[in-house]
Amino acid sequence: YDKTKTLIIDPWVSMLTFPNGNPLFAAYDKIGCDVAYDNNGNVWVYGGGDPMYVAKYNSAGALQWTFTVPMDVADLIGDIEVNKISGSAYICEGYKWFGARIVKIDAGGNLIATSAINANIYEISRLRLTCSGKLYFTGGGVPDNMWQAGSVDTTLQTITGAHILATPKGDHDLNLMALDPTEKFMYMNFNYPAPGSPNFTNDNEMRKIPLPAFTPSTWINPGPIYNFTELGSIEYCGPT
C-alpha cells in the first residue's frame, strides 16, 4: 500500500442480473457463485441458475459482456479461473455423468476450446492456473475409479488424472485446492462421504501433495474438520 495515494474502498457497485432461460431457477438470476479478476482491473462473475453465465465488468464496473456456459449445471456449480495477463478464462462443469468438461473463453467472451468428455471425471470442483501455464483441477465422483485431481494444458487437449488415495474409493471428493507459488505442492481438502454412502467415514482431512506427481502425500491432517466442506476458493501465498 502506497501511503502517498488515496485509498479507495469499494470504488463501484454493480447489481448482478443474469439472463435466465429456466423459470425454475428464476431466483438465481442475481446470484454470483465465484469472482475472478485480471491485472487490468476487470472482474469476472460466475453465477446464475440454468444455464450458468460468466459476466465481465471493466475496472469502472460497467458490464462488458455475458457468456452463456454451454454445460450442465445439475446440483454442482463448478468453478472459474482467469489468466490475469491474457484475460482468457476457464470454466469447469461441476457434475456430468460420464464426463465433466472444461471450457475456455477469450477476453472477449468467445468460446475457443472445450475439453473432451472423460469417463474418469464426473465432478470438477476447483480450477487453478499456474504461472507456467498449467491448469490443475480437483473433483471426484461416486464410482471408485474417479480421479480426485489432475492437470490439463491450456488448450484443453491433454488431461492427466490422479488418484490421491492409495486405494481409490468413490464419494471421496476434493473440494478445496491451493497451489504454492513455486508450483511444487498442492494443498487440498477431502470431503469424505456422508452417512448412508457405502464409503462413509467419519473424518474429512487435508493433504499436502507434491506436483506434478500428485503422490505420495507429504502429510495428512485427519478430521474431524467438517466445517471445511464445500468452502469457497482459497489462495496460498506462504512458504512451501
Side-chain angles (χ1 to χ4, degrees), residues 121-185:
I121 310 172
Y122 278 17
E123 302 172 13
I124 305 178
S125 56
R126 289 289 180 268
L127 293 173
R128 286 295 176 268
L129 181 67
T130 68
C131 294
S132 63
K134 181 171 288 187
L135 194 65
Y136 285 98
F137 65 86
T138 57
V142 176
D144 288 345
N145 66 325
M146 292 294 98
W147 293 338
Q148 288 110 17
S151 63
V152 56
D153 69 293
T154 53
T155 66
L156 306 186
Q157 298 302 305
T158 303
I159 300 177
T160 301
H163 298 290
I164 305 303
L165 298 175
T167 302
K169 288 185 178 181
D171 287 324
H172 289 61
D173 302 336
L174 284 170
N175 297 117
L176 292 177
M177 182 235 307
L179 303 176
D180 80 80
T182 66
E183 304 179 20
K184 294 180 180 179
F185 295 98

Side-chain angles (χ1 to χ4, degrees), residues 37-81:
Y37 65 93
D38 68 9
N39 292 341
N40 294 316
N42 299 303
V43 176
W44 281 255
V45 181
Y46 175 55
D50 184 16
M52 297 290 288
Y53 298 92
V54 175
K56 180 181 178 180
Y57 297 82
N58 65 15
S59 58
L63 178 65
Q64 302 300 290
W65 45 257
T66 301
F67 171 76
T68 304
V69 180
M71 297 186 294
D72 290 342
V73 178
D75 59 345
L76 300 177
I77 299 301
D79 195 20
I80 184 172
E81 176 73 328

